[in-house]
Amino acid sequence: MLDLWYTENHTDSVRFSIKVKEHFHSEQSPFQKIDFFDSEEFGRFFTLDGLMMVNEKDEFIYHDMITHVAMATNPNIKKVLVIGGGDGGTVRELTRYPHIEKIDMVEIDERVVRLSQEYLPLTASQLTDPRVTLYFQDGLQFVKEAAAATYDLILVDSTDPIGVGEGLFTMDFYQNCFRALTEEGILVNQHESPYYDSYRNEMKRAHEKINGLFPIARVYQFHIPTYPSGHWLFGFASKKFDPLEADLEKWDALNLKTKYYNTDIHKGAFMLPTYVREALKGNE
Ligand code: SAM
């Protein structure tokens, strides 16, 4: 019997492995290496350049947390920009809000979208919603060219700050996001993980830049088994709304059924462990 395992290096001396039933697709796109697998524990999953992106079992955690925290903070969000997010999971969650009027998604790699539509309908199913417009281009360039004050919310659903994702962690990018956001605008972005040194450095760099730019810059956490250390963070940057002052009853009244997010997690997720707080303040 074939004993096939997918193994990812989480650091130079730590590895994470998943027993694989089938490695059913592999290709090199113009931007990255794309691999799709099927597994007993996590169902189908895909990797980009050897890093786990999305799997059927824990995707709900990531997609709930990237979307609903901002949506509950400002119940009047109408125009949203998603950068990256080729698997469609973030767009799927956004389309559940009837009051959203427009969702632009900018994904650099069309192949990720097409393969997700073919192999991962669980996440990609709502990319055909009439409110959604897909743009296949670099997110950095897209926000540079976007008119000022266009979006109420920008969700950066990107890869790590290596390769094509690198530009989405720069000051230039964050400044352009600030400009493209309305006066009530919110930016949610990848903040990596606090646990292993290399990821912690990326977390600090991202936070330092955003903190200097937005009047409100917070960080929130969630637990996701397949990302390095299982402890992952998003940044919440905002021109006006503080997620900890939000009237969350309005979100509860929408009666959306979610599997991870709820309005207690909303508050709790911003309560960070001491070592993370200190790292973010720069006085570890
Ligand atoms: N949940 C995932 C994670 O954190 O591992 C992210 C998923 S999503 C598949 C990330 C997407 O960002 C990829 O499909 C990648 O092609 C896209 N991406 C990377 N850099 C980009 C850029 N500069 N502009 C637009 N999309 C980009």
Side-chain angles (χ1 to χ4, degrees), residues 260-279:
Y260 191 89
Y261 177 83
N262 56 53
T263 47
D264 288 333
I265 281 273
H266 180 112
K267 291 171 258 173
F270 289 91
M271 305 301 136
L272 301 173
T274 306
Y275 84 96
V276 182
R277 268 198 216 165
E278 295 192 344

Side-chain angles (χ1 to χ4, degrees), residues 78-96:
K78 293 192 170 60
K79 297 197 168 82
V80 186
L81 172 63
V82 177
I83 295 181
D87 55 86
T90 299
V91 165
R92 179 196 65 203
E93 288 308 305
L94 288 167
T95 57
R96 301 177 69 198

Side-chain angles (χ1 to χ4, degrees), residues 165-218:
E166 204 172 344
L168 307 181
F169 289 78
T170 57
M171 197 62 186
D172 190 26
F173 175 69
Y174 299 136
Q175 276 165 342
N176 280 301
C177 286
F178 188 93
R179 198 184 46 79
L181 284 167
T182 60
E183 284 310 300
E184 302 196 330
I186 297 172
L187 169 71
V188 175
N189 78 314
Q190 288 278 12
H191 257 55
E192 305 296 291
S193 169
Y195 194 72
Y196 294 123
D197 288 355
S198 61
Y199 291 90
R200 182 159 70 249
N201 286 336
E202 296 303 340
M203 164 195 89
K204 286 159 73 167
R205 286 174 52 195
H207 187 64
E208 242 170 55
K209 290 175 196 158
I210 290 181
N211 205 18
L213 204 55
F214 283 82
I216 296 157
R218 295 192 182 275

